[in-house]
Amino acid sequence: MPKFLKVIFSLNFLYIILIAAQVAAIIFLCVYIPSTLPLALAFAAVWILDAICALILFSKKGAPEVKCVWFLLIAALPVVGAIIYLFASSDKRPCGTLKIVCENGTGLNGAANLLCGTTLAGYEDAVYFPDGESFFTAAVSEIERAKKSVYIEFFIIERGNLFERVLAALKKARERGAEVKMISDGVGSAFRLRKKEIKRLKDEGVEIKIFHRITPVARTKLNLRDHRKIITVDGKVAFTGGVNLADEYINIGSPYGYWKDAGVAVYGEAAKIFEGMFLALFEGNCKEIPVPRQGKKNCLPICDSPPLNSICEDAYACAICSAEERIHIMTPYFCPSDKLLSALAFAARRGVDVKIILPHIPDKKYAFEISKAYARSLIPCGVKFYEYTPGFMHAKNAIFDNRCFIGSYNFDFRSTHFNHECGIMFEDEMTVEAEKDFEKCLVLSSPFAENKISPMKKFAVFILKIFSPLM
């Protein structure tokens, strides 16, 4: 029985069913073609449309997993699937790209300059924040002292206690003549940031833009979201991490237990790169800035600007493959590409200590089921998974030996292929701070428990996993 279910829930079986259905349709039309010629012509037209879509699909660049899901959709829904794909794949022009003109370096620095326009940057100091409250306390303090500019960019901005705190700080900045600009995502902040709050911001002199606003007519760009989390003040300090500007991120009214998050503030020249990221997206063009090299230490800011510029997936793959001692990841969603899955599996088999902490109380049940499905595929390879028992793990940290990435990236397809994202790589004491936070969370976490699931739930998870690259 288990073997039979394994066959039934395999992709190959699904392909066989689809092929058999189409063959049956062809035989039927061939037998009854004299009386069903119009139907045969319609069927042929559908096949031609599907073939054109498939040719377009596989001729373009992109992740194989995403292409396979689109192909399955086109095959399962011949007309509707083809129309959805043609609609979703058009008009994907780059928006808000960054370019620092400098000599291409080697390693990850050189790749970053070619792929996302950033470069190794100097900084004077950095502060690690193990939760949203400490993150926003420091950010609000800096905003209150702003003299020239305050730029704020979040996937979610929601009315509430935190919003009022930030608005009060922005008033003080405006009183000193600071320029204040803000970007919020149209989907992330939908029904959270009302016209009333937007008007209040504008009345205080804040220039606000909604990234890809939801409209009655669906648009192709709706799938490309702005998931970044950035606050820059006077071009001297930049904040980034996993938090959003909403009360649950500082554990006010969190419906998922304790909301665990993380972030970092970087002081010095590196902050100018995050300022450039913001302005490029705000102005909707390619932003060029000078090389910010001066500083006591160096870090590497990175960003993804779909549909063309992306680096995170390749940077993670490189870091995983080069890790020799540890790979420690905290993420709310675990839905990686085959490239990253294979790299993690091989790292564990090489003897690398691979540990991944997921939420215990998820905010999206379907995403949690997908995460557990991918976890089950890696556990036999030696990858250890844990659930953060106090509540929801929303921190987005990845540690590879003495290197750490902190930013807005989830460990999933959406972050590495469809979202505007940002982050920063350190190779100094920030890695030590991130590792301390990981160890504290590990103590509070329980090993991933493999529970038996019903055939119906197994089938539902199977379907979710198929379409996970597009979620």
Side-chain angles (χ1 to χ4, degrees), residues 25-94:
I26 292 171
I27 293 172
F28 175 82
L29 289 173
C30 288
V31 172
Y32 296 98
I33 200 163
S35 59
T36 58
L37 186 58
L39 183 61
L41 292 174
F43 191 81
V46 169
W47 263 38
I48 292 170
L49 177 64
D50 283 0
I52 292 171
C53 287
L55 287 172
I56 294 172
L57 173 64
F58 288 102
S59 66
K60 289 187 174 183
K61 292 181 180 179
E65 296 92 339
V66 176
K67 290 182 178 181
C68 287
V69 175
W70 276 120
F71 184 72
L72 181 61
L73 187 65
I74 292 168
L77 304 171
V79 177
V80 177
I83 292 172
I84 291 173
Y85 171 70
L86 289 174
F87 180 76
S89 63
S90 64
D91 191 30
K92 287 189 175 181
R93 291 167 290 183

Side-chain angles (χ1 to χ4, degrees), residues 327-463:
I327 297 172
H328 292 167
I329 297 169
M330 297 192 291
T331 181
Y333 315 114
F334 186 73
C335 176
S337 63
D338 282 347
K339 180 194 298 185
L340 296 183
L341 280 172
S342 299
L344 287 169
F346 191 58
R349 288 174 174 138
R350 288 189 287 112
V352 179
D353 178 37
V354 184
K355 292 188 176 83
I356 300 172
I357 302 178
L358 301 173
H360 178 65
I361 304 175
D363 66 334
K364 302 179 181 70
K365 290 186 177 180
Y366 72 87
F368 190 49
E369 292 301 329
I370 293 171
S371 296
K372 291 194 290 186
Y374 278 100
R376 282 191 285 268
S377 69
L378 286 179
I379 289 173
C381 304
V383 178
K384 300 179 182 68
F385 285 86
Y386 300 84
E387 293 182 21
Y388 181 70
T389 53
F392 184 52
M393 169 60 69
H394 194 257
K396 308 164 194 304
N397 294 358
I399 301 165
F400 310 97
D401 290 345
N402 67 332
R403 177 186 299 174
C404 74
F405 291 81
I406 304 169
S408 65
Y409 292 93
N410 293 316
F411 221 85
D412 64 2
F413 266 93
R414 174 149 290 282
S415 277
T416 54
H417 291 87
F418 302 123
N419 287 346
H420 288 258
E421 304 276 8
C422 68
I424 187 165
M425 187 203 78
F426 295 96
E427 291 183 320
D428 51 25
E429 64 269 17
M430 280 298 100
T431 303
V432 177
E433 293 299 317
E435 178 62 21
K436 286 179 182 177
D437 192 22
F438 180 88
E439 293 297 336
K440 287 180 182 178
C441 291
L442 194 62
V443 171
L444 298 172
S445 302
S446 58
F448 177 78
E450 178 61 42
N451 300 319
K452 289 185 178 180
I453 58 177
S454 65
M456 199 68 187
K457 188 174 181 180
K458 187 177 290 188
F459 179 74
V461 171
F462 167 71
I463 297 298

Side-chain angles (χ1 to χ4, degrees), residues 88-111:
S89 63
S90 64
D91 191 30
K92 287 189 175 181
R93 291 167 290 183
C95 173
T97 57
L98 184 70
K99 184 62 181 174
I100 298 174
V101 181
C102 63
E103 293 182 7
N104 290 330
T106 58
L108 191 56
N109 179 39

